[in-house]
Amino acid sequence: MRSSNARWVILCTKSCGTARRPRPPPGQPLSAPVVDNFSEPSVKTPIVSPGPPALAVTQEWADCRREVGQLTEESLSDLLRKYRGRAGLTQAALAAKAGLSDQAISVLERGTRRRPRIDTIRALIKVLRLNKDEAAEFLAVARGKSQSAENPEPEGAPASETLPMPWQLPPAVSDFTGRTAQIEAILDVLRISDGAPSTSVRLVAVTGMGGIGKTTLAVQAAHKLVDSYPDGHLYLNLRGYGPGKPVSAVDALRQLLRSLGTEPQLIPDDVEEAAGLLRSQLAGRRVLLFLDNAADAAHVMPLLPGNPSSAAIITSRGSLSPLPGARQVRLDALSQSESVELLSGVIGQSRIAAEPAAAEALASFTGRLPLAVRLIGGRLAARPSWPIQHLVELLEDEDRRLDTLGSDETGVRANIASSVDFLQTSDRALDREAAQALPLLSVPDGADLLTVVAAHVLDVPVRKANAILERLADLNLMESVAPERYRFHDLIRAYGREIADETVALSVSHAGLERLLRFYIGCAWQCQTLTHTSSPRILLASVPPLRLPVLGNRHSALQWFDSELRNLMDRFTQATTMLAGSSLLPELALATFGYHEARRRWMEMEEMSRGAVELATKLDLPLTAAWLEHDRAIPTVENGRLESAVPHLTSALAMFQDAGDLTGQARCCSSLTYVLSGIDRVEEALEFGKQSVEISQKLDDLVLEGVAHTALGVLYNQVGDYERADVSFDRGILLAQQAGSIRSEQKRNANAAFSHLLAGRLADADRYNVTAQRIAETMADDVYRTESLQTRALILAAQGDYAAAIQQAEAGIHFAKRSADNIREGRLYLELARIQAAAGDQTTAIHNATQAVSKLTQVSPIHEKYARDLLDQLRRGDPYTYAFTNHAI
């Protein structure tokens, strides 16, 4: 094997070699350049080991210098002054146009510097507008003119002048869509602007899941950088995630060096040596390296240029954050409109226009993944007679979705599988654990996965779950959407579920879902201990309250459930099928009462109650069934369906009586008092109210007794017995204070305020509401704030102060939005529209009534009807007189 020094000598002599190699004249001394990585050869220094190769080297340098010297007798400084004068440019103007310093032009014209960089030469040729012959002469003189033909001073031409100029970029696609910001981010880093030299190598790392369009984007950007890198573009697919095995660093270096003209036998076998040779070959040249499909940062480190004149753009499914100084560009799925636009580019706009709704649905089912959009578009393009809707129907079946998106090695399934295979075949234990976890993690429904949720699904410590999720996110098999919150792309989830069906036992999937339900139940009981401290439901917990830091106080617990509610509901619904008959289902419905009631989540409460009573009864859980039957009435009452609530409450009362539970009986009696008084069944209401007081006093339960007195207060106000009403309300409030329940105190003041408002006792209503509002501020509870602001708006509107009422309603809308209380927000928009209509502002009233309809549709039928009736009246132009209903709060 040749020595390292020998390789360098041979490499550099090849750079200036010609076809003919005459031997030197007799007597001529053998001499050749000394070569290192940075300096140019000099013919004056003897080679260490003379011999035939050295003789050839010496003669080649002499021939090269002699031929250059015969071209012209003018020096570089002469030519530069001549062409600058012809162009009418000062030294400063030429420097500015060429992106050089004034000093650079000055030293060239003085002859102080005779060997400028190749990019400097090209810049001058371009700015001076030299023709072909002039440019050749200027380049030849700049790169090697001797002092005289007889006494040469050879200075070998650099590799950049004689090595091939590679242009290896794949073609850019004609239907490239979107990604404007990402393209600009890449160009911002890699584009070389005049007068803006870089001191470090420019690097861009493009990452994202398989099929997201990384290579397409990078190719698009690279084609826009031709002017910045005139010495060539190198492209290399490193196959980090297939097909086949990844390209090793040595093989990658060999390919890059061969592309730059290095003879294969001159390329070192050692990675570091070869990397050094690559950096030397790139030195002084402006070359863009496109390193596609890298496994990770370590995969590309030896391949990066060392001189700031060259740059690299790297793509990978894995994280490239360890690359020092690289601009990270992470790709997400296309937007819906971009997906449809891309589909249009594949199948034609006319087919999109013919079935716009189907095109939108198709884009959604592809997960807005460019690869999937192109595949499905290609399938449609090859079948012009197929309607788009036909493929939509195929994609609706999740079990067949990946088949529809290509079943061979170019399909979406194979694309995802290559990333999973990378983990499965890794030497790292964590990678193999992540690959094994992916199918089980894909089983639960829901938009995303918390780290702690994943830990329960996998039955591993939270720290281990975090490591697994982070590794999946590193390879873009999951997305980290927030700290400790991760999300699957729809198609990756579909792939994970396919693998789960094939490789994970049903008992294992069920066990994971059961652990998840237990986790939610423990969290829900903890929330209920904070929102309803004395709730009798808590005594029925089979899963103990789970005391996590995020559930440390009432506010944080409610916020946690706000962010996790949709996932919880999706997984509850999933469990009703996968775990049908489990006792965990009715317990979760009961445990979440505290959250649902505190946040007014009536739709979710009603949804979870369906079938729960029957299941609890079947499982011989009588008290659980009784409380669920009672709680089942709450959403119907809140949505104005009072008649429908009565059967649930009377049934619950009978169930509590059968079980001998006095607490439940007292609560059912007070609830019946509220409901029956609202539908003018006063005598029955009064009887149930008295029973509630008696039972609660027998139990010595201050909370229950206070609830009973408040219910009686509402009833007395309704029949005009104001003295008894005030006594009952004040008694209820006093009992809340004695029990130390600030929540009960707030609610009883709020109930008293609204009851007085309905009775026309506006001053007393305002007095109670001020207290309720003050307590709501103390509790920092947006739900109670919203309720108090709405009551205040009603009071002011009833007094005719519409301007002040509008301000209160708008403030209430702010807090309703902040607490994501759509029903309350819709009711406030309705009330705002009523007040504005009464104030004569019909246009704004119509707008807000429309807002109310959109918020209340399918979530609060009675208020939706009120909003639609008001909207119809306003659109007809009928006069409106302000009035509110019994269901305004």
Side-chain angles (χ1 to χ4, degrees):
M1 182 180 290
R2 294 185 178 92
S3 69
S4 176
N5 285 340
R7 288 196 182 100
W8 283 111
V9 171
I10 295 172
L11 171 65
C12 291
T13 58
K14 292 289 183 182
S15 298
C16 195
T18 61
R20 57 187 181 84
R21 297 184 177 219
R23 294 181 61 82
Q28 180 174 324
L30 297 177
S31 60
V34 173
V35 181
D36 60 27
N37 291 359
F38 306 101
S39 61
E40 294 183 350
S42 168
V43 298
K44 297 180 180 179
T45 307
I47 279 186
V48 176
S49 302
L55 183 65
V57 169
T58 303
Q59 187 59 48
E60 283 184 310
W61 282 117
D63 291 344
C64 181
R65 300 303 296 148
R66 188 178 298 110
E67 289 173 4
V68 170
Q70 291 169 356
L71 292 173
T72 179
E73 294 301 322
E74 291 185 275
S75 68
L76 176 63
S77 58
D78 293 335
L79 289 174
L80 184 56
R81 279 194 297 271
K82 179 175 73 173
Y83 292 137
R84 179 174 62 79
R86 186 181 71 184
L89 298 171
T90 64
Q91 285 187 354
L94 176 59
K97 284 179 173 289
L100 304 170
S101 66
D102 293 357
Q103 183 182 9
I105 302 298
S106 176
V107 297
L108 286 173
E109 289 199 358
R110 291 200 310 269
T112 305
R113 181 185 179 192
R114 293 177 296 164
R115 300 300 308 277
R117 291 161 56 93
I118 186 63
D119 51 350
T120 299
I121 299 168
R122 287 200 175 96
L124 291 171
I125 288 172
K126 181 178 179 180
V127 172
L128 293 170
R129 298 174 182 253
L130 305 187
N131 62 36
K132 183 177 180 181
D133 292 338
E134 291 170 343
E137 177 189 27
F138 191 80
L139 180 63
V141 172
R143 303 313 294 160
K145 184 174 185 306
S146 61
Q147 297 299 318
S148 68
E150 291 76 18
N151 185 25
E153 183 186 77
E155 300 179 21
S160 60
E161 282 304 300
T162 58
L163 294 177
M165 188 178 294
W167 298 98
Q168 299 178 347
L169 288 180
V173 297
S174 59
D175 57 4
F176 183 81
T177 303
R179 310 295 199 195
T180 303
Q182 291 84 355
I183 288 283
E184 284 304 314
I186 295 172
L187 299 182
D188 184 57
V189 174
L190 298 183
R191 187 188 286 121
I192 298 177
S193 303
D194 291 343
S198 176
T199 58
S200 59
V201 178
R202 304 166 194 256
L203 302 176
V204 171
V206 182
T207 58
M209 66 175 284
I212 204 71
K214 302 180 294 295
T215 300
T216 303
L217 171 76
V219 167
Q220 199 76 16
H223 275 285
K224 298 178 182 291
L225 293 164
V226 172
D227 291 341
S228 293
Y229 300 94
D231 296 331
H233 289 190
L234 292 168
Y235 173 81
L236 179 58
N237 182 359
L238 294 169
R239 298 202 305 270
Y241 296 87
K245 293 182 178 180
V247 177
S248 68
V250 167
D251 288 342
L253 286 163
R254 286 183 178 280
Q255 185 169 333
L256 292 172
L257 284 165
R258 287 198 304 271
S259 297
L260 290 170
T262 307
E263 294 188 8
Q265 68 270 23
L266 303 181
I267 300 173
D269 295 324
D270 180 75
V271 172
E272 291 187 8
E273 247 186 288
L277 178 55
L278 176 65
R279 290 192 293 270
S280 297
Q281 289 285 59
L282 293 173
R285 306 179 75 188
R286 281 162 58 178
V287 176
L288 178 65
L289 280 72
F290 181 177
L291 305 173
D292 195 17
N293 197 11
D296 51 30
H299 198 184
V300 297
M301 286 296 289
L303 314 181
L304 301 179
N307 189 290
S309 59
S310 290
I313 182 169
I314 308 107
T315 70
S316 178
R317 299 184 193 184
S319 171
L320 294 175
S321 56
L323 280 180
R327 172 69 179 271
Q328 302 289 329
V329 177
R330 187 183 180 282
L331 294 191
D332 291 319
L334 296 172
S335 69
Q336 184 74 3
S337 61
E338 288 171 340
S339 301
V340 174
E341 182 182 347
L342 177 57
L343 183 63
S344 171
V346 179
I347 67 173
Q349 180 57 39
S350 59
R351 293 180 75 176
I352 300 292
E355 296 181 84
E360 291 280 346
L362 196 67
S364 297
F365 281 125
T366 61
R368 297 175 285 112
L369 190 69
L371 171 64
V373 175
R374 289 186 186 281
L375 285 171
I376 207 71
R379 192 171 177 186
L380 278 170
R383 297 161 178 80
S385 62
W386 279 20
I388 298 175
Q389 182 61 33
H390 175 64
L391 275 180
V392 170
E393 291 167 3
L394 292 178
L395 289 170
E396 283 176 340
D397 183 355
E398 185 177 302
D399 293 338
R400 298 177 56 190
R401 189 168 300 163
L402 293 179
D403 290 330
T404 306
L405 294 173
S407 55
D408 60 10
E409 65 276 5
T410 65
V412 172
R413 179 189 287 107
N415 192 283
I416 299 169
S418 63
S419 294
V420 179
D421 289 343
F422 178 87
L423 291 173
Q424 287 175 329
T425 58
S426 170
D427 294 334
R428 298 177 60 193
L430 177 61
D431 284 0
R432 297 192 298 275
E433 289 169 345
Q436 187 176 3
L438 186 142
L440 197 54
L441 290 174
S442 70
V443 171
D445 284 344
D448 44 48
L449 275 172
L450 288 174
T451 303
V452 66
V453 166
H456 283 80
V457 172
L458 299 174
D459 199 19
V460 299
V462 173
R463 181 175 294 182
K464 170 63 75 173
N466 182 71
I468 288 171
L469 292 170
E470 278 294 291
R471 190 65 188 120
L472 291 171
D474 283 343
L475 268 68
N476 286 288
L477 288 167
M478 294 195 87
E479 179 187 2
S480 177
V481 294
E484 299 186 2
R485 189 175 289 274
Y486 298 82
R487 180 175 299 156
F488 277 117
H489 185 277
D490 289 347
L491 297 181
I492 294 180
R493 185 203 291 274
Y495 174 83
R497 286 182 169 179
E498 277 190 0
I499 302 305
D501 289 342
E502 295 169 3
T503 64
V504 179
L506 200 59
S507 59
V508 174
S509 296
H510 285 186
L513 193 55
E514 283 180 354
R515 288 191 297 271
L516 180 51
L517 288 188
R518 288 185 182 277
F519 167 73
Y520 281 137
I521 290 169
C523 292
W525 283 130
Q526 172 63 10
C527 182
Q528 194 167 155
T529 64
L530 297 168
T531 59
H532 298 70
T533 308
S534 59
S535 172
R537 300 167 185 81
I538 299 171
L539 298 174
L540 301 174
S542 71
V543 178
L546 194 58
R547 290 175 173 82
L548 296 174
V550 292
L551 306 172
N553 57 60
R554 183 178 188 276
H555 179 69
S556 64
L558 291 173
Q559 281 195 323
W560 188 86
F561 272 95
D562 286 342
S563 62
E564 190 61 11
L565 179 61
R566 196 62 257 166
N567 290 324
L568 186 155
M569 296 302 300
D570 288 344
R571 289 157 191 164
F572 176 84
T573 302
Q574 180 185 24
T576 58
T577 300
M578 290 184 65
L579 304 177
S582 171
S583 62
L584 297 175
L585 296 171
E587 183 168 356
L588 181 55
L590 189 65
T592 50
F593 166 83
Y595 170 74
H596 288 151
E597 200 277 339
R599 284 296 203 228
R600 306 294 196 266
R601 299 289 191 248
W602 311 126
M603 282 184 61
E604 290 80 2
M605 181 183 285
E606 189 168 30
E607 183 179 339
M608 293 185 80
S609 71
R610 292 182 193 130
V613 174
E614 293 75 14
L615 180 56
T617 302
K618 181 179 178 181
L619 295 171
D620 196 22
L621 301 170
L623 290 180
T624 298
W627 278 112
L628 287 170
E629 181 70 4
H630 170 273
D631 297 346
R632 204 169 169 181
I634 299 175
T636 62
V637 172
E638 292 294 333
N639 287 316
R641 305 194 304 271
L642 301 184
E643 290 282 3
S644 300
V646 175
H648 294 305
L649 293 174
T650 53
S651 174
L653 177 58
M655 294 166 76
F656 281 120
Q657 288 170 340
D658 290 342
D661 186 279
L662 293 178
T663 300
Q665 293 175 43
R667 194 64 185 89
C668 284
C669 287
S670 61
S671 296
L672 281 165
T673 304
Y674 278 115
V675 173
L676 293 171
S677 66
I679 55 177
D680 294 327
R681 292 166 62 176
V682 177
E683 293 301 323
E684 294 173 85
L686 184 58
E687 182 59 32
F688 280 117
K690 291 177 179 179
Q691 286 184 42
S692 181
V693 171
E694 290 172 4
I695 296 172
S696 57
Q697 288 177 342
K698 183 184 297 185
L699 292 169
D700 196 23
D701 190 319
L702 300 183
V703 173
L704 281 175
E705 186 183 349
V707 171
H709 281 296
T710 304
L712 284 171
V714 172
L715 177 61
Y716 288 136
N717 249 343
Q718 185 175 335
V719 298
D721 192 342
Y722 299 144
E723 184 176 348
R724 285 188 178 179
D726 290 344
V727 170
S728 294
F729 281 125
D730 291 342
R731 178 63 179 164
I733 292 168
L734 178 61
L735 288 169
Q737 293 170 342
Q738 290 175 351
S741 175
I742 188 172
R743 172 186 167 275
S744 295
E745 185 181 356
Q746 194 280 338
K747 286 179 67 66
R748 289 168 196 175
N749 274 283
N751 285 336
F754 187 61
S755 177
H756 282 63
L757 175 62
L758 291 178
R761 303 173 63 190
L762 300 184
D764 290 327
D766 195 40
R767 174 171 56 84
Y768 281 111
N769 191 64
V770 166
T771 303
Q773 195 164 7
R774 174 182 54 78
I775 298 174
E777 291 297 330
T778 301
M779 297 173 68
D781 189 294
D782 285 348
V783 170
Y784 293 156
R785 283 172 172 148
T786 306
E787 186 179 82
S788 297
L789 286 164
Q790 185 173 358
T791 301
R792 176 67 176 155
L794 293 170
I795 294 169
L796 289 168
Q799 293 172 337
D801 191 348
Y802 297 140
I806 288 170
Q807 288 182 346
Q808 296 296 305
E810 289 175 340
I813 289 171
H814 165 74
F815 285 113
K817 287 180 176 178
R818 199 162 78 172
S819 60
D821 188 344
N822 287 334
I823 294 178
R824 181 72 66 182
E825 185 182 351
R827 293 183 186 184
L828 276 159
Y829 272 120
L830 171 58
E831 210 57 49
L832 188 58
R834 286 171 172 158
I835 298 168
Q836 288 163 337
D841 188 352
Q842 301 293 105
T843 301
T844 309
I846 289 173
H847 170 76
N848 286 320
T850 304
Q851 290 281 86
V853 170
S854 68
K855 292 290 180 182
L856 296 169
T857 298
Q858 296 184 342
V859 299
S860 182
I862 189 169
H863 293 96
E864 178 191 350
K865 182 180 185 304
Y866 289 149
R868 290 189 184 279
D869 289 346
L870 176 64
L871 190 58
D872 290 342
Q873 182 178 351
L874 295 176
R875 284 173 174 168
R876 291 194 304 268
D878 296 345
Y880 178 80
T881 302
Y882 179 75
F884 57 83
T885 69
N886 291 354
H887 308 296
I889 292 297

